[in-house]
Amino acid sequence: MIITDTHTHLYSEAFDEDRNDMIKRAIDHGVSRFFIPSIDSTYTKAMLQLEKDYPNHVYLMMGLHPTHVKDDYEEELKHVEDMLASRKFYAVGEIGIDLYWDKSTLGIQQKAFKYQIQLAKKYKLPIVIHCREAFNEIFEVLESEKGDDLFGIFHCFTGTLEQAHQALSYNMKLGIGGVATFKNGKIDQFLNQIPLEHIVLETDSPYLSPVPYRGKRNESAYIVRVLEKLSDIYNVSLDELAKITTQNSKDVFKI
């Protein structure tokens, strides 16, 4: 059984004490593909090292995370552009808008999001969207950029059924992780109305641990708990769910 974690921050400082053991645990649980989102330029070196250490397992994205869109965002976007021009990446991400931490940067977040979407189109890459308390703002940008060359993943989807359908209308898959296992997560109540062909699995580790690990550090091995939850929701076997969601990730990332 091949399981794909489409979103994991393996370079996070949270893993500094046991990174290799943590990755081995995931591989031992059948998680053989890790897609690594970018945050800002300070993590690029660590990402490249992970790829070097695990060339058969690690796939890198490049992008500027919305919470790191600061006064120097133009320099950071230049780094993103230079990296995309220099080598292969599998997506532009994670990018988007986050109004939970700082609403004052909305204007430059929108600029950075739109600019990176256009970079993704230039390189024929998917985008991986971070959205927190910003569905309307995200959809406004996606509407202005919609087309056959716009596609990707709505990472850590936590919206309503209506918002799910709207995301799908922009050629997005829904990234489903630990929130699906939460009692108050709500998405488990309607997920079975979304065809499995639109779903990919993720952990967002070290964040958003699934039940029964909620509140603790997340890691890619825990994606099995998400797989089990979706197996119940969709009434399909673990093997079949792993097969379908891995194929969906291949379709998005073109591997």
Side-chain angles (χ1 to χ4, degrees):
M1 181 167 65
I2 296 174
I3 307 170
T4 301
D5 188 348
T6 61
H7 202 107
T8 175
H9 299 269
L10 294 182
Y11 49 77
S12 169
E13 294 85 354
F15 300 126
D16 282 353
E17 299 299 316
D18 65 342
R19 182 171 289 102
N20 291 325
D21 289 341
M22 180 272 298
I23 293 173
K24 185 178 185 301
R25 276 195 296 275
I27 293 171
D28 288 346
H29 279 82
V31 188
S32 59
R33 289 191 179 92
F34 307 90
F35 286 86
I36 315 296
S38 178
I39 293 177
D40 64 22
S41 61
T42 65
Y43 290 96
T44 300
K45 182 179 178 181
M47 291 170 61
L48 294 172
Q49 187 63 50
L50 273 167
E51 182 187 57
K52 185 177 179 181
D53 293 343
Y54 297 92
N56 298 319
H57 300 284
V58 164
Y59 302 83
L60 302 183
M61 311 179 203
M62 179 49 55
L64 178 61
H65 192 292
T67 61
H68 288 243
V69 175
K70 308 291 186 184
D71 291 342
D72 65 346
Y73 80 98
E74 290 178 332
E75 294 171 37
E76 285 288 335
L77 290 177
K78 178 69 164 56
H79 174 75
V80 171
E81 189 165 8
D82 288 347
M83 291 301 297
L84 288 171
S86 70
R87 49 151 293 154
K88 170 72 176 172
F89 288 93
Y90 290 87
V92 175
E94 64 189 280
I95 64 175
I97 299 174
D98 187 313
L99 298 181
Y100 176 80
W101 296 106
D102 189 352
K103 293 181 173 64
S104 72
T105 58
L106 173 59
I108 56 175
Q109 285 193 55
Q110 289 168 316
K111 287 180 182 177
F113 184 31
K114 194 175 181 72
Y115 184 75
Q116 291 181 97
I117 290 174
Q118 291 166 357
L119 284 177
K121 290 179 175 181
K122 177 180 178 180
Y123 290 99
K124 297 179 169 54
L125 292 173
I127 61 172
V128 173
I129 298 172
H130 172 106
C131 173
R132 193 166 186 189
E133 297 189 2
F135 276 104
N136 291 338
E137 291 80 4
I138 291 279
F139 288 144
E140 183 179 343
V141 174
L142 294 180
E143 181 66 27
S144 71
E145 292 290 337
K146 67 181 179 181
D148 292 340
D149 54 354
L150 176 70
F151 65 104
I153 295 172
F154 217 106
H155 149 62
C156 189
F157 183 80
T158 56
T160 64
L161 178 60
E162 181 183 8
Q163 288 166 333
H165 284 305
Q166 192 164 353
L168 297 181
S169 76
Y170 298 117
N171 301 322
M172 298 295 143
K173 306 282 189 199
L174 304 184
I176 304 299
V179 173
T181 70
F182 297 173
K183 283 185 178 179
N184 61 349
K186 298 182 181 178
I187 60 172
D188 60 311
Q189 297 170 19
F190 64 76
L191 260 187
N192 63 357
Q193 298 179 56
I194 303 294
L196 258 179
E197 68 195 59
H198 300 308
I199 301 295
V200 293
L201 303 183
E202 62 169 63
T203 57
D204 198 21
S205 62
Y207 315 107
L208 292 173
S209 294
V211 173
Y213 307 107
R214 191 174 183 184
K216 300 177 181 177
R217 185 192 75 173
N218 198 6
E219 58 181 75
S220 285
Y222 297 168
I223 201 169
V224 174
R225 299 300 183 188
V226 181
L227 191 73
E228 291 168 348
K229 179 66 176 182
L230 266 62
S231 176
D232 290 339
I233 290 173
Y234 283 98
N235 195 28
V236 298
S237 70
L238 295 177
D239 281 353
E240 183 68 8
L241 190 62
K243 180 181 177 182
I244 292 171
T245 52
T246 286
Q247 184 58 52
N248 293 344
S249 73
K250 289 180 176 180
D251 292 344
V252 173
F253 294 117
K254 303 194 185 315
I255 64 166

